[in-house]
Amino acid sequence: MKIAVSACLLGENCKYNGGNNYSEKVIDYIKAHEVVSVCPELLGGLPIPRESAEIVNGVVRLKDGSSVDKEFRQGAEMALEIIKEQGAELVILQSRSPSCGVNTIYDGSFSGRIISGQGVFAELLRKNGIKVMDVADL
């Protein structure tokens, strides 16, 4: 099976703060599979490092209120196309991210509070019938 994975989970330093979310659980899970690495935020043209973003009333915004919604959604569309072209059957995503949150996201108050919800990329994948999994569920 071909599996797409958030690049940060594979150790790529593409998080907003310049770090990664390397996951040994992911590495173990994908060992016998072909892997496609994707980062919708980078594909959308966002720099590293960058300010953190959260979904505020349906729009991806920075703490100062400026919108980065276009970049997040454009990157999600580009990542979706890569996943379709590569034929990935499953996508493993990083928890709580405004792009990749599968089950939960930050609440938009920049206070660290977590709520039920999906990031823009996770939502797009589901709308396109692609199976998504939160890394926390491994």
Side-chain angles (χ1 to χ4, degrees):
M1 174 171 43
K2 194 174 280 192
I3 301 174
V5 180
S6 292
C8 64
L9 294 170
L10 298 173
E12 187 174 328
N13 292 327
C14 56
K15 278 181 60 169
Y16 75 93
N17 63 4
N20 66 66
N21 293 314
Y22 178 80
S23 170
E24 197 64 45
K25 284 183 179 180
V26 169
I27 300 305
D28 289 343
Y29 188 84
I30 63 175
K31 276 184 180 169
H33 304 282
E34 285 186 67
V35 177
V36 178
S37 175
V38 292
C39 178
E41 294 174 24
L42 287 184
L43 289 167
L46 294 166
I48 304 169
R50 56 190 173 273
E51 293 294 318
S52 65
E54 294 186 12
I55 299 173
V56 181
N57 297 319
V59 177
V60 185
R61 296 192 179 279
L62 301 178
K63 193 172 187 176
D64 69 7
S66 58
S67 175
V68 285
D69 197 72
K70 177 184 170 197
E71 292 86 346
F72 271 73
R73 293 185 189 279
Q74 183 177 336
E77 290 285 349
M78 294 171 77
L80 171 64
E81 288 308 310
I82 290 168
I83 287 165
K84 285 180 173 179
E85 287 171 7
Q86 295 293 320
E89 300 170 49
L90 170 67
V91 184
I92 302 172
L93 300 173
Q94 172 59 36
S95 310
R96 302 174 305 278
S97 161
S99 288
C100 297
V102 174
N103 302 314
T104 58
I105 55 173
Y106 290 104
D107 73 352
S109 68
F110 294 88
S111 65
R113 199 169 31 232
I114 297 169
I115 59 171
S116 292
Q118 296 180 325
V120 296
F121 182 44
E123 182 178 23
L124 183 64
L125 290 169
R126 282 188 167 149
K127 283 182 179 175
N128 280 270
I130 297 170
K131 184 177 177 189
V132 295
M133 177 185 287
D134 188 306
V135 64
D137 294 334
L138 284 179

